[in-house]
């Protein structure tokens, strides 16, 4: 890396700012992807309110942080695990299909929750974590991103790589929280029938993502045999 007369400290600061900027841009890009976590987040916000739905968003971002750490530190080993993608696809398929069916069949809350405890937040945190973790596409995304980071800003400084991933994770969490907050304004104009239809559509979308994972796992398995 050419410093153009800058001191080592100035060069590192410039690298750190570049890493943070790239992480923020990546995080914003992820915010516009429509995946299973998006539908689960909107459903949680509508059913339980903004404050509680943040637990699901936190579960997603904690999962992302775990995937970042795993893919970056075990980059070559993960790529060599036999049938790694297929196993994740099958497990993720069951998670999404089960979540979608549960969303369709379970009745909406009859009224606002009077008292929120940590035990009310844990199931949503766990759902967000599971939906994101047992899905091969986030693994592939962070695996490819880790490859780029390892050959880019991470090649010069491990701190720069850390700042990149943390900036991306924080941006994802903030944008997911914004989605949950915006859903509270939308719900004011929705009738019970529309909300019921949304639950069905949301559940069908999650089931569709799950079936897509099953097909992905089957295709991967067939291509290897």
């Amino acid at each position: 890396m050419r410093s153009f007369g800058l001191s080592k400290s100035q060069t590192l600061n410039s690298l750190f700012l570049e890493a943070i900027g790239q992480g923020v841009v990546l995080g914003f890009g992820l915010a516009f992807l429509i995946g299973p976590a998006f539908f689960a987040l909107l459903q949680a916000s509508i059913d339980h309110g903004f404050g509680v739905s943040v637990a699901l968003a936190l579960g997603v971002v904690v999962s992302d942080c775990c995937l970042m750490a795993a893919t970056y530190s075990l980059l070559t080993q993960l790529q060599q695990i036999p049938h790694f993608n297929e196993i994740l696809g099958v497990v993720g398929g069951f998670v999404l299909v089960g979540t979608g069916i549960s969303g369709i069949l379970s009745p909406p809350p009859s009224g606002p929750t009077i008292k929120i405890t940590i035990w009310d937040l844990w199931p949503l945190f766990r759902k967000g974590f599971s939906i994101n973790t047992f899905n091969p596409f986030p693994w592939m995304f962070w695996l490819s991103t880790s490859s780029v980071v390892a050959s880019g800003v991470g090649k010069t400084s491990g701190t720069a790589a850390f700042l990149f991933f943390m900036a991306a994770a924080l941006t994802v969490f903030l944008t997911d929280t914004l989605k949950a907050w915006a859903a509270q304004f939308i719900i004011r104009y929705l009738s019970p029938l529309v909300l019921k239809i949304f639950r069905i559509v949301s559940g069908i979308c999650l089931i569709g993502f799950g079936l897509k994972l099953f097909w992905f796992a089957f295709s991967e398995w067939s291509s290897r045999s």
Side-chain angles (χ1 to χ4, degrees):
M1 181 177 181
R2 298 176 62 186
S3 61
F4 297 100
L6 297 176
S7 67
K8 183 178 180 180
S9 175
Q10 290 174 317
T11 302
L12 283 177
N13 288 337
S14 177
L15 178 66
F16 294 161
L17 289 175
E18 178 185 356
I20 293 173
Q22 291 178 2
V24 170
V25 170
L26 179 71
F28 272 117
L30 286 174
F32 293 99
L33 296 180
I34 306 299
F38 171 80
F39 291 101
L41 180 67
L42 291 187
Q43 188 63 62
S45 181
I46 290 173
D47 287 350
H48 305 285
F50 166 69
V52 179
S53 65
V54 172
L56 189 142
L58 187 59
V60 172
V61 77
V62 169
S63 169
D64 275 332
C65 288
C66 292
L67 299 189
M68 293 173 198
T71 55
Y72 190 73
S73 60
L74 304 173
L75 192 58
T76 56
Q77 292 88 334
L78 287 174
Q79 293 174 324
Q80 296 173 359
I81 296 176
H83 305 297
F84 177 72
N85 293 332
E86 296 93 312
I87 294 171
L88 270 179
V90 171
V91 176
F94 279 114
V95 170
L96 292 181
V97 170
T99 302
I101 293 175
S102 174
I104 293 174
L105 299 180
S106 60
S110 56
T113 303
I114 302 300
K115 182 180 179 181
I116 299 298
T117 67
I118 188 63
W119 304 113
D120 299 315
L121 303 180
W122 170 246
L124 284 173
F125 175 89
R126 185 179 58 201
K127 179 186 289 188
F129 186 89
S130 299
I131 286 176
N132 200 66
T133 302
F134 297 111
N135 184 342
F137 298 110
W139 281 89
M140 292 178 185
F141 175 83
W142 289 118
L143 194 59
S144 60
T145 301
S146 294
S147 301
V148 174
V149 173
S151 60
V153 294
K155 189 174 183 180
T156 305
S157 168
T159 302
F162 174 80
L163 291 175
F164 172 90
F165 286 120
M166 288 302 97
L170 182 59
T171 304
V172 169
F173 177 69
L174 291 177
T175 53
D176 281 351
T177 301
L178 183 61
K179 293 173 190 175
W181 175 75
Q184 297 303 295
F185 292 93
I186 298 174
I187 193 176
R188 298 177 183 177
Y189 305 99
L190 302 181
S191 66
L193 176 60
V194 173
L195 290 176
K196 182 177 180 180
I197 293 174
F198 177 82
R199 289 178 64 84
I200 294 175
V201 172
S202 178
I204 291 174
C205 288
L206 290 175
I207 293 172
F209 281 114
L211 295 177
K212 184 177 180 180
L213 290 188
F214 284 136
W215 177 252
F216 165 80
F218 174 77
S219 300
E220 286 286 307
W221 189 282
S222 300
S223 64
R224 295 174 186 267
S225 60

